[in-house]
Amino acid sequence: MSREPAPMGRFAFVLHPLYVSQYAQKFPFTRFLPDRLVEAAFRAVPPFEASHITGIVSATGARSEGWFIALPWTPRVLLAAPPALVYRRLIQAGRIAERLGAGIVGLGAFTKVVGDRGLTVAQALRIGVTTGNSLTVATAIEGALMGAHRMGVEVAQAQVAVVGATGAIGAACCRILARQVGGLILVARTQSRLEALAEELGSTGPARVDVTSDVRRAVGGADIVITVTTATDVLIEPEDLRPGAVVCDVARPRNVSRLVYDRRSDVLVIDGGVIEVPGPVEFGLDFGFPPRSCEACMAETIILALEGRYDDYTLGAEVQLDRVDEIHALMRKHGFHISGFRRFERKISDDEVDAIRHAARSANAPRPATLGL
């Protein structure tokens, strides 16, 4: 007796280089040219199909295929361009997704930060659009709390700093964490937005809420740090963190200096939102992740395709908490999971986590320069 094949969900995902050095992966000659010249030259290049993604097989048996659509602009170019021009480029990318047969397109990295976070793009396309921010929120919190558990941090008593607290991802993280941690330190540049969020959170949970624009002071007092800013520079240095701190760096480019990895054997830094995708997946493109793994925002796009959910999902400046819960449940249903602990493109073994925990408890562990608010 023959069986009908499982339905095939189809998606596309827009990505772009985070660093000028990444152009050389596809165009080796660029490594001999000045950064500004490379960025200026590729500013005129329209989006293009970069690869075909195959082999995604859900735990339910559903299958999916997709395409990477490359917009060859760095964060610096994207942030400097007029929003109307960025929208035109992203709509061009969406049109390519439509022609390829995708039912939904995800906006990766800074393409979901510029302007109104996907709203204008979604209005112009005939297929669904998502920023993937709902699953990014869910997995950032899941990863940070997993790390806290391994480091012996009591979450209900923990002080948690959210750097980038007033952004779409940061504010949603704060709204969820306010219900379950001892204290929240909200960090962002605009005081009025910080105070408005603090006032809202003050009535929703037991956590004591403080605000500051001083990143170093905030993270120095935190047991758990979640960084979700759009800054293109490093914000957290080795001397800023207290022994035993758990840092979940969701930002790309990273907010945490690589020197933390080199100099602080008593601090657990993990990459946020690295998700393992079920099935013999072939992405057809090296975008800096381990085999069969991708960022949470892309995983959200794939999961929606597996579900046949081709409507707009996560858009705009505010992430809805019910969608965070829904996409997190769908992630488990389809067999996606956090790809262990990783930092700076390297897996962190259980033995290494144990060593970090022991170092943090050592009487010789270094003390931070600042100890909080």
Side-chain angles (χ1 to χ4, degrees):
M1 179 178 173
S2 64
R3 179 179 293 178
E4 289 292 326
M8 178 71 80
R10 291 186 169 88
F11 68 94
F13 192 77
V14 181
L15 77 174
H16 66 88
L18 293 174
Y19 310 98
V20 175
S21 59
Q22 291 177 322
Y23 286 103
Q25 294 174 4
K26 192 171 182 63
F27 307 101
F29 68 92
T30 60
R31 65 169 55 95
F32 304 108
L33 302 175
D35 288 359
R36 295 286 186 178
L37 178 60
V38 173
E39 288 181 311
F42 278 92
R43 193 172 183 274
V45 176
F48 57 90
E49 177 189 345
S51 73
H52 184 204
I53 304 164
T54 61
I56 299 168
V57 183
S58 160
T60 68
R63 299 175 299 135
S64 183
E65 67 173 346
W67 296 267
F68 277 128
I69 310 297
L71 175 62
W73 288 8
T74 63
R76 183 163 51 196
V77 174
L78 273 164
L79 293 174
L85 176 57
V86 178
Y87 296 153
R88 285 201 296 274
R89 289 300 200 198
L90 293 178
I91 292 167
Q92 281 182 290
R95 298 276 188 243
I96 295 172
E98 289 176 344
R99 288 197 295 274
L100 290 168
I104 187 167
V105 61
L107 302 178
F110 280 69
T111 67
K112 62 185 176 184
V113 172
V114 177
D116 57 15
R117 295 174 174 80
L119 291 170
T120 297
V121 175
Q123 290 170 1
L125 296 179
R126 299 188 301 274
I127 60 177
V129 178
T130 189
T131 62
N133 281 346
S134 294
L135 193 57
T136 299
V137 170
T139 54
I141 294 174
E142 181 183 351
L145 298 188
M146 284 171 56
H149 175 73
R150 289 296 312 278
M151 289 290 289
V153 175
E154 180 58 48
V155 171
Q157 306 299 322
Q159 297 295 311
V160 180
V162 178
V163 184
T166 56
I169 297 171
C173 287
C174 292
R175 292 183 176 108
I176 294 172
L177 289 168
R179 305 167 184 168
Q180 50 188 306
V181 302
L184 268 177
I185 308 168
L186 315 182
V187 190
R189 287 176 297 186
T190 306
Q191 188 70 19
S192 59
R193 295 180 65 189
L194 279 172
E195 291 173 353
L197 180 59
E199 182 176 356
E200 173 197 330
L201 297 178
S203 60
T204 60
R208 176 176 177 269
V209 180
D210 292 300
V211 303
T212 182
S213 58
D214 188 334
V215 175
R216 299 188 65 184
R217 190 168 177 229
V219 303
D223 305 296
I224 303 170
V225 178
I226 298 177
T227 68
V228 289
T229 82
T230 58
T232 55
D233 299 320
V234 165
L235 301 178
I236 299 174
E237 297 288 353
E239 63 273 18
D240 298 336
L241 297 160
R242 69 192 312 173
V246 175
V247 184
C248 181
D249 192 353
V250 183
R252 299 292 182 278
R254 301 175 192 281
N255 289 162
V256 180
S257 168
R258 179 177 284 274
L259 294 176
V260 176
Y261 172 77
D262 296 333
R263 298 179 182 174
R264 293 296 302 269
S265 60
D266 59 344
V267 169
L268 177 62
V269 179
I270 58 176
D271 294 339
V274 181
I275 307 299
E276 189 165 322
V277 180
V281 185
E282 294 289 345
F283 287 109
L285 180 70
D286 180 4
F287 54 103
F289 274 62
R292 301 185 303 282
S293 297
C294 67
E295 290 187 334
C297 53
M298 181 177 173
E300 176 173 312
T301 311
I302 299 171
I303 291 166
L304 293 170
L306 287 167
E307 284 283 304
R309 296 272 297 270
Y310 294 144
D311 297 325
D312 301 334
Y313 196 76
T314 309
L315 296 176
E318 186 164 320
V319 177
Q320 299 173 31
L321 300 192
D322 58 345
R323 294 226 152 166
V324 174
D325 293 337
E326 180 185 49
I327 197 70
H328 204 194
L330 291 173
M331 168 181 156
R332 299 189 185 99
K333 169 186 171 182
H334 287 288
F336 292 65
H337 59 83
I338 290 181
S339 183
F341 293 147
R342 306 187 64 86
R343 61 178 174 184
F344 299 106
E345 288 81 42
R346 179 180 166 278
K347 185 175 182 179
I348 308 173
S349 68
D350 289 344
D351 288 345
E352 188 175 354
V353 176
D354 290 342
I356 294 170
R357 186 175 66 250
H358 290 313
R361 292 175 177 173
S362 167
N364 295 323
R367 303 300 299 173
T370 54
L371 283 174
L373 300 173

